[in-house]
Amino acid sequence: MREFGYHRAYDVAGALALLGADPDARFLGGGTNLVDLMKTGVERPASLVDVRELPLDGIEPTADGGLRIGATVTNSDLAAHPEVRRRYPALTQAVLAGASGQLRNMATVGGNLLQRTRCAYFTDVTQACNKRVPGSGCPAIEGEHHNHAVLGASEHCVAVHPSDMGVALTAFDATVTYETPDGPGRSPLTDFYLPVADTPHQETVLPPGALITGVTLPPAPVAARSRYRKVRERASYAFAIGSVAAALDVRDGVVQDVRLALGAVASRPWRARTAERALAGAPAGAETFAAAADAELAAARPLPHNGYKVTLMRNLIVAVLTELAEEAAR
Ligand SMILES: Cc1cc2nc3c(=O)[nH]c(=O)nc-3n(C[C@H](O)[C@H](O)[C@H](O)COP(=O)(O)OP(=O)(O)OC[C@H]3O[C@@H](n4cnc5c(N)ncnc54)[C@H](O)[C@@H]3O)c2cc1C
Ligand code: SF4
């Protein structure tokens, strides 16, 4: 690991100034992803600007009945917050399904959304990888890709985004807020991650040097009955091979409102809008749920070794929606 500078920022303006002073500087959240990447040489920042002392560690209600979550809130504090647990239970479940207790104590909301893919070629600097070295190629397409994307990928990159938190936030229409030296900005999380296309190294809409300040969740009564289900290759301490965040409101056997997002299937948390449209106003039942899942997954383009994900996701969507519908009927 090469030498690097370390600075701690105490206010947003100071953080932006410290970062702007060094073109090779990076913000440091909990460091649970960035420091690992520095050890392997994937990231080589000249200096780090630690953001954990910034006054961005609160979770507060918004005037319209939503929640504002600061960027430096730890994963543990987010999962444990009573209003998150009560109003957006799938968000608590998603966060608790990720990493380990020790990691969640360190990891922050901003860092979780910006964590990098776990594609083995990306994390190995001896390999080609378009995301790490633009134009060098994508060995995953012909090589090891059993946990890679089946939706929204391109011939230039088939990596998946690893965040669990981001899947639940996507289902609930979260908006990311950020600050830049030129002023504040915001982006719905559904638009925050750029399409892969031929530029997989460009991952988000954030302008260079932007500091994520928080995430805002709009009010969503349907989210009070929501669930996150994650499938992984071992029972804990593993990234998803497929996940679903869903919320469902059923009255008189008919779907009134639904939110659905999928994880570990694309380069970003995947909002399943096609399935949502198929479900709205339809009778709540296994047939409807399966048809909605099929409609969403019709766009899937699996590779030779990850076709299982299409079946997995279909079953996962049907199972989670069925559980939520049964709960609503009680
Ligand atoms: C063994 C292991 C297992 C894991 N399992 C899971 C899992 O199952 N599910 C899951 O979702 N995650 C998992 N994680 C990922 C973990 O949750 C992330 O590493 C973590 O959320 C990143 O947060 P951080 O604050 O430590 O980010 P850092 O490592 O500090 O930063 C990550 C990136 O975000 C940038 N950044 C940080 N904060 C800001 C900010 N406010 N504004 C702008 N840029 C910022 C940094 O510059 C860096 O590029 C796992 C991690 C490990 C090590
Ligand atoms: S899938 Fe993406 S991250 Fe993985 S090797 Fe290909 S270009 Fe790199």
Side-chain angles (χ1 to χ4, degrees):
M1 193 156 158
R2 68 173 192 165
E3 274 188 31
F4 60 91
Y6 172 86
H7 309 278
R8 186 171 286 169
Y10 296 94
D11 56 42
V12 168
L16 292 172
L18 280 167
L19 199 89
D22 179 350
D24 283 335
R26 299 273 192 291
F27 289 125
L28 176 72
T32 60
N33 185 218
L34 180 55
V35 174
D36 279 355
L37 294 174
M38 288 167 64
K39 288 178 191 166
T40 52
V42 174
E43 291 274 11
R44 299 169 63 82
S47 64
L48 298 179
V49 177
D50 192 334
V51 300
R52 284 173 299 175
E53 295 295 323
L54 297 181
L56 300 173
D57 60 348
I59 300 179
E60 289 143 17
T62 56
D64 65 359
L67 274 188
R68 173 160 172 77
I69 302 159
T72 63
V73 169
T74 63
N75 289 9
S76 296
D77 287 346
L78 176 63
H81 196 276
E83 288 303 301
V84 176
R85 293 173 55 162
R86 188 171 68 84
R87 293 202 246 165
Y88 308 93
L91 178 54
T92 287
Q93 293 163 18
V95 174
L96 293 180
S100 65
Q102 292 94 329
L103 286 162
R104 293 193 296 270
N105 288 342
M106 290 299 291
T108 62
V109 169
N112 188 282
L113 295 178
L114 291 184
Q115 66 174 299
R116 312 298 300 280
T117 184
R118 264 52 181 194
C119 172
Y121 302 102
F122 173 77
T123 53
D124 179 350
V125 292
T126 66
Q127 301 282 338
C129 168
N130 284 329
K131 193 183 272 299
R132 186 167 31 74
V133 183
S136 61
C138 175
I141 290 172
E142 298 287 326
E144 170 52 50
H145 57 239
H146 82 282
N147 192 21
H148 284 59
V150 292
L151 288 165
S154 84
E155 60 187 309
H156 301 283
C157 179
V158 291
V160 294
H161 198 276
S163 172
D164 290 298
M165 178 195 299
V167 182
L169 289 174
T170 295
F172 301 146
D173 295 305
T175 295
V176 179
T177 53
Y178 55 86
E179 281 289 338
T180 75
D182 300 325
R186 54 195 295 124
S187 166
L189 196 52
T190 45
D191 301 336
F192 182 71
Y193 299 102
L194 294 168
V196 190
D198 56 357
T199 51
H201 58 291
Q202 291 172 352
E203 295 185 346
T204 74
V205 298
L206 283 180
L211 172 76
I212 295 182
T213 51
V215 170
T216 305
L217 282 167
V222 67
R225 184 174 284 124
S226 63
R227 184 159 298 190
Y228 186 75
R229 178 76 65 79
K230 171 175 176 177
V231 177
R232 43 193 154 176
E233 286 174 340
R234 54 175 190 260
S236 71
Y237 204 43
F239 289 94
I241 55 171
S243 70
V244 168
L248 190 68
D249 180 13
V250 176
R251 263 171 272 161
D252 300 325
V254 173
V255 175
Q256 307 292 321
D257 197 359
V258 60
R259 305 293 158 86
L260 191 63
L262 315 180
V265 292
S267 62
R268 59 190 153 99
W270 186 267
R271 183 69 181 266
R273 291 201 191 277
T274 305
E276 288 179 352
R277 278 192 293 274
L279 290 162
E287 254 179 54
T288 305
F289 300 155
D294 287 341
E296 188 67 45
L297 295 165
R301 298 289 174 269
L303 295 159
H305 305 300
N306 68 358
Y308 75 93
K309 279 200 180 193
V310 180
T311 316
L312 172 73
M313 294 312 296
R314 182 183 196 268
N315 292 342
L316 208 47
I317 292 168
V318 173
V320 172
L321 291 175
T322 302
E323 285 169 14
L324 288 168
E326 284 171 358
E327 264 177 40
R330 272 181 219 140

